Amino acid sequence: MHILYSAFDVVPSPKGASTHITQFVRGLMGAGHTVHLMTASDGVLPDVGMYEGATVTRVAPPSGAADSFLARALEFGRAVHEHVLNGPSYDVVHFRSIWDGLHLVQGARVGGYATLFEVNGLPSIELKYHYPRLADSPEGQALLAKMHGQEAAILASCDAIVCPSDVTRTFLVSLGAPRARITVIPNGVQIDEFYPSPLPPRVGRTPLIILYVGTLAPWQGLDGLLTALPHVLAELPVHLVIVGRGRGRQLKQLAKQARKLGIEEAVTLEPAVPHHAVPGRIAQADVCVAPLVYNDRNVVQGCCPIKLIEYMAAARPIVAANLPVVRELVREDVEALLYAPDDPADLARQLVRVLQDRDLAEGLAGRAAQRAAERFTWRRAQARLLRVVDGLVGGGLDA
């Protein structure tokens, strides 16, 4: 089949979205499909080329609007729409955002293609965390309401939907998406890259390493993690390493909070590393954290944190927020220790518990690695995606 895969993301990049897109392209190409990938440009990667065997076109922002998210998003949608109108014919158009999605579902009948909406997050939920002023002004509220209407229209009209968690599926049904059209495909891990390694020795080695890998977005809960750190330091010597991509203001806020708490010497903020370097960073850690906060982005819309699955596959003990999306991946006290969301004292208690009990740490790590290998590989995710794609063209969808 001839498939268009459009994603308003930069690929490749250190972000989890890039990993997800890369693995889905690999799966489609591996099944013998022809894929044209359209992504956002970062101004460095070539505008056209090949990626994972697929033809790739990167859409540059409009002149003078590189710093405007909305202008870049609308330009991306316009470019994808123009490509579909004037480019080759497709059997399936697979898209990840509303910016091009509304055009694509509206043009599906004329274009003769099936539509597949991959929902990892909706802008009516996500954007207010990136741009807090949106929710504080009448203009911003009107824009979010418009986005919400477009999302509902796309969900009701597309031929199939894939999403990463049961929480997300329930949310999409609440927005009017037909449940029978939704397939849950959790994120995965490449097990030949993220594989179990022994925990670092603890005897005679200080400080112990607490690791977070991921974006610095507000829903990740890094402010709560920093607040928990003094409680941990009161019990044993540790060093928190945060490896991730964030805006300048996010880095400044975290550094300021660390200074205010008097823990700046126990915290290292590092830029994001290429995805192939992440396993090496995890291997240096004594415990890994996923401190997601309790908000509508994580609890109502849902997500599937790739970091958590990669921690699991690498056989590291995990401390994570006790949220439904986390419990879809790990079982409490079996593969991870969970703590009450937004409770730094409870987070600190669980970190101290696992750092002081080597047997507990090794047991959690070993069971987590086994569960990741059995349930959360990219190979399994690719197989599920291919069933959806085959069902679209074959006339029946195995949801």
Side-chain angles (χ1 to χ4, degrees), residues 262-287:
I263 56 172
E264 61 268 36
E265 297 299 322
V267 178
T268 298
L269 299 174
E270 297 184 6
V273 298
H275 192 245
H276 65 79
V278 174
R281 303 312 309 272
I282 295 176
Q284 300 169 6
D286 294 280
V287 62

Side-chain angles (χ1 to χ4, degrees), residues 85-268:
L85 287 176
N86 302 315
S89 62
Y90 291 102
D91 299 296
V92 175
V93 172
H94 177 162
F95 59 92
R96 287 172 52 99
S97 76
I98 70 168
W99 312 113
D100 51 327
L102 190 60
H103 294 305
L104 293 172
V105 296
Q106 289 175 341
R109 180 170 297 180
V110 174
Y113 52 79
T115 52
L116 171 57
F117 188 12
E118 179 189 328
V119 183
N120 295 283
L122 295 175
S124 64
I125 297 290
E126 303 263 335
L127 284 186
K128 61 180 180 284
Y129 293 104
H130 290 291
Y131 306 97
R133 293 180 183 178
L134 274 178
D136 296 334
S137 68
E139 296 82 3
Q141 292 174 2
L143 178 61
L144 291 174
K146 182 178 180 180
M147 292 177 186
H148 182 79
Q150 290 181 351
E151 292 161 359
I154 296 168
L155 289 167
S157 303
C158 60
D159 296 304
I161 301 164
V162 296
C163 66
S165 71
D166 288 327
V167 172
T168 305
R169 175 166 56 184
T170 299
F171 174 60
L172 298 180
V173 171
S174 77
L175 297 180
R179 187 178 183 87
R181 296 183 194 170
I182 304 174
T183 300
V184 175
I185 306 178
N187 287 326
V189 66
Q190 192 74 17
I191 56 175
D192 59 348
E193 297 176 3
F194 291 82
Y195 49 84
S197 62
L199 290 174
R202 294 185 182 177
V203 177
R205 184 178 65 87
T206 57
L208 302 178
I209 303 300
I210 302 170
L211 178 69
Y212 168 88
V213 179
T215 70
L216 309 186
W219 59 73
Q220 299 288 2
L222 294 177
D223 54 345
L225 178 57
L226 289 177
T227 302
L229 196 60
H231 300 284
V232 181
L233 288 166
E235 300 291 334
L236 69 166
V238 296
H239 193 92
L240 171 62
V241 178
I242 297 173
V243 181
R245 179 180 179 180
R247 293 183 172 85
R249 62 177 175 81
Q250 293 169 332
L251 287 165
K252 290 179 181 178
Q253 288 172 352
L254 292 174
K256 180 179 179 181
Q257 183 182 3
R259 288 194 300 271
K260 185 176 180 180
L261 291 168
I263 56 172
E264 61 268 36
E265 297 299 322
V267 178
T268 298

